[in-house]
Amino acid sequence: MTLASTSSNSPSASRLAAPPQALTEIVQSVLDHLGQLPGALMPVLHALQNQLGHVPKEAVPLIAEGLNLSSAEVHGVVSYYHHFRSEPAAQTVVQICRAEACQAMGSEALWAHACSAHAKAAAQGQVGFEAVYCLGLCASSPAMAVNGRVYARLTPARLDQILEASK
Ligand code: FES
């Protein structure tokens, strides 16, 4: 199965710039390894994000063509799951849990503090805040993860300390 630079099953595909050859080769390699699995879309998306740090918009029509799906289907999955990114991640990715147990313990105030106190760093791409819905630390909420490392029983001051130490 080979890939063209754009997908014929997407009405907007013809308006996309041709993806760089390197991206086309990476997508093709992932499809060669995983494309035959039942329900291959999720493993393909995970593999691409593991390699590239995100799933570039330009990869969507390539994946769609390789898996005989529409670009809308692939885009729908990428945009539905918070785990998948369409843009490169910030240097420090802070995932703050906003699910019920953490909300009950102040995660909304924590979120507001984080976005406000670290707005400059966020604007410069040094830190990015993402909402997640349960990190499995409900008994020690509120919780967050910083570049995959989890922290619990947070306060705004502790969040600031952790982010300062992660620079
Ligand atoms: S609800 Fe936040 S860790 Fe479970």
Side-chain angles (χ1 to χ4, degrees):
M1 192 177 317
T2 59
L3 293 172
S5 60
T6 58
S7 171
S8 60
N9 54 8
S10 167
S12 61
S14 61
R15 292 195 299 271
L16 295 174
Q21 187 61 28
L23 175 62
T24 303
E25 290 172 4
I26 290 168
V27 172
Q28 185 63 62
S29 171
V30 168
L31 288 169
D32 288 346
H33 283 95
L34 302 171
Q36 300 308 315
L37 293 175
L41 180 56
M42 291 298 276
V44 165
L45 293 175
H46 280 288
L48 267 182
Q49 181 151 302
N50 286 344
Q51 279 195 45
L52 302 173
H54 68 296
V55 180
K57 290 188 289 286
E58 295 81 1
V60 168
L62 303 176
I63 298 166
E65 183 169 327
L67 297 179
N68 199 26
L69 300 169
S70 71
S71 288
E73 288 173 292
V74 177
H75 173 74
V77 171
V78 171
S79 58
Y80 178 79
Y81 291 101
H82 291 144
H83 174 75
F84 295 122
R85 310 171 193 286
S86 293
E87 304 292 335
Q91 185 181 329
T92 301
V93 176
V94 180
Q95 296 175 306
I96 298 177
C97 179
R98 302 180 77 181
E100 285 181 19
C102 285
Q103 273 192 37
M105 296 301 287
S107 70
E108 291 304 301
L110 196 65
W111 174 268
H113 169 80
C115 293
S116 166
H118 301 276
K120 185 176 173 191
Q124 295 172 341
Q126 296 166 354
V127 63
F129 296 104
E130 298 177 355
V132 291
Y133 296 89
C134 200
L135 292 164
L137 296 168
C138 315
S140 308
S141 54
M144 72 174 180
V146 178
N147 289 342
R149 182 172 179 182
V150 293
Y151 299 88
R153 295 193 174 93
L154 292 166
T155 62
R158 183 142 185 267
L159 180 144
D160 292 344
Q161 283 176 344
I162 292 165
L163 292 193
E164 187 62 35
S166 71
K167 288 182 180 175

